Amino acid sequence: MLAFNWKMNPETLREAIDLASISDCKNAVVIPPFLFIEEVGKILKKAKLGAQDLFWENPSAGKGAFTGEVSAKELKNFCVEYVIVGHSDRRHKLGESDEVVAKKLKTALVAGLIPILCVGETREEKEFGKRKEVIKRQLNTALANLKPKIKNLKLIVAYEPVWAIGAGDPETPGNALEAIKYIKKLLAENFNLKVKVLYGGSVNSKILGDYLKYKEINGALVGGASLKKDEVEKMTQWI
Ligand code: PGA
């Protein structure tokens, strides 16, 4: 699976439509900004539609006085199937805490959206040998509220080392594999959960195959390269 996270791009609807039409492949999830979700959704025939975030308050009502926020129900009404939760841009640039991530995860699951839960360490944490500790804390907090009724839960995890995102400096496939195996082991042992885990962080068409050759790495979450048509064309040949 390839999840294309467009972040705050492109600038115009025309560009969004162009990009959506070349990204429209089976096993792709196209994740545009909220503004373009409706029109991109109309274009996609094979790919699934995703959102970059959601709000956690008032999940059953799906509406309310929350300026600037978008609810799970609103996303469902536009045929969104996947939603990114806890992306490092939000955790580290916008101060989103593990607890907020947990609320968003629960809201997404209750609404029937498939969350792509992002976890990963900063450069400093990596240098202090804290990768596993950070992953464990982020997963345990995110899933804590769900423990009693975790069966049959549809969840995707993306291992995205913060320092590798948008940096042109990906984690090596071997180290990514090790982290991903750890995530799978932890979720199986602590939550009786079997999940798909993606790698994310400076993935492009040249290196994608180096990750996908491991059966434990179930795909990639791609940012920058998902905005370039020639890159998208090459990357979608893998799925
Ligand atoms: P990148 O972004 O591919 O540009 O590193 C990945 C992501 O933020 O999900």
Side-chain angles (χ1 to χ4, degrees), residues 4 48 51 53 65 67 79 97 100-101 105 119 122 137 143 168-169 175 183 187 191 193-194 201 208 228:
F4 294 137
K48 305 288 189 195
D53 191 25
T67 302
C79 302
S97 65
V100 166
V101 172
L105 187 76
V119 297
T122 62
R137 189 202 73 229
L143 293 164
D169 178 23
N175 286 346
I183 291 170
L187 291 176
F191 297 96
L193 203 59
K194 207 173 164 222
L208 179 60
K228 298 181 188 140

Side-chain angles (χ1 to χ4, degrees), residues 34 52-55 68-69 84-97 100-101 104:
F34 290 135
Q52 296 177 16
D53 191 25
L54 82 171
F55 191 51
E69 297 295 338
I84 297 178
V85 175
H87 190 278
S88 82
D89 289 344
R90 301 204 62 83
R91 289 183 192 261
H92 296 283
K93 297 177 189 165
L94 297 159
E96 204 166 286
S97 65
V100 166
V101 172
K104 290 185 173 183

Side-chain angles (χ1 to χ4, degrees), residues 160-172:
E160 296 209 304
V162 180
W163 52 271
I165 295 176
D169 178 23
E171 179 51 288
T172 62

Side-chain angles (χ1 to χ4, degrees), residues 5 7 87-89 118 160 164-168 200-203 221-225:
N5 176 17
K7 309 193 182 187
H87 190 278
S88 82
D89 289 344
C118 300
E160 296 209 304
I165 295 176
S202 297
V203 171
L221 178 52
V222 187

Side-chain angles (χ1 to χ4, degrees), residues 183-197:
I183 291 170
K184 290 193 173 190
K185 182 168 160 280
L186 213 134
L187 291 176
E189 286 176 5
N190 292 359
F191 297 96
N192 193 21
L193 203 59
K194 207 173 164 222
V195 296
K196 286 198 174 108
V197 184

Side-chain angles (χ1 to χ4, degrees), residues 121-174:
E121 79 288 352
T122 62
R123 186 173 294 282
E124 206 185 16
E125 289 163 338
K126 180 190 172 214
E127 278 161 11
F128 281 98
K130 292 192 169 164
R131 172 179 299 191
K132 286 188 175 167
E133 194 185 306
V134 170
I135 291 175
K136 190 173 179 182
R137 189 202 73 229
Q138 289 178 335
L139 287 177
N140 281 343
T141 321
L143 293 164
N145 298 340
L146 305 164
K147 218 168 179 176
K149 43 179 174 166
I150 204 125
K151 277 203 187 101
N152 302 327
L153 178 149
K154 273 198 190 167
L155 167 70
I156 292 171
V157 174
Y159 171 60
E160 296 209 304
V162 180
W163 52 271
I165 295 176
D169 178 23
E171 179 51 288
T172 62

